[in-house]
Amino acid sequence: MTAYRRQDSAATPCILILKVLPTDADQWLTTTESGLFLGGGCYWEYLRGELSENKQSVRIRISRAQELHPESLLMLMTSAREYAIGGEWIC
């Protein structure tokens, strides 16, 4: 039997979050009196489909349109809640 993600509504959604750091390590982390800033972008991908048998590495592609920001994080959390209730991923 082949295993699939999202096979049934009892499955836990699997969301990968990728943090991309700037080439210049001095830009990775900046602190000021008003806050802490992590340089670079952050992207998300909802993993779906057949599970990989490869234990070493798996290549995936994440669209730059799937940038993680407050609005997309809220959408992901809403999707996870709807999935838990009705078994349907909405994003």
Side-chain angles (χ1 to χ4, degrees):
M1 180 172 142
T2 304
Y4 288 91
R5 292 182 181 92
R6 297 179 19 167
Q7 190 168 355
D8 61 44
S9 61
T12 301
C14 186
I15 302 167
L16 173 70
I17 297 177
L18 173 69
K19 176 67 178 162
V20 180
L21 294 171
T23 306
D24 181 359
D26 290 335
Q27 296 176 356
W28 289 2
L29 183 66
T30 305
T31 59
T32 67
E33 282 187 23
S34 60
L36 178 72
F37 175 76
L38 295 172
C42 203
Y43 304 90
W44 64 272
E45 178 65 40
Y46 179 62
L47 302 178
R48 58 180 59 94
E50 190 174 326
L51 297 175
S52 173
E53 297 293 325
N54 187 345
K55 303 294 184 202
Q56 298 299 314
S57 65
V58 175
R59 180 173 292 180
I60 66 165
R61 299 202 185 278
I62 301 176
S63 169
R64 287 189 178 264
Q66 293 179 195
E67 186 175 8
L68 188 67
H69 46 72
E71 294 81 13
S72 64
L73 183 57
L74 180 59
M75 181 265 312
L76 286 170
M77 299 309 294
T78 301
S79 249
R81 183 184 68 229
E82 292 300 318
Y83 183 80
I85 293 169
E88 183 178 340
W89 187 256
I90 61 174
C91 65

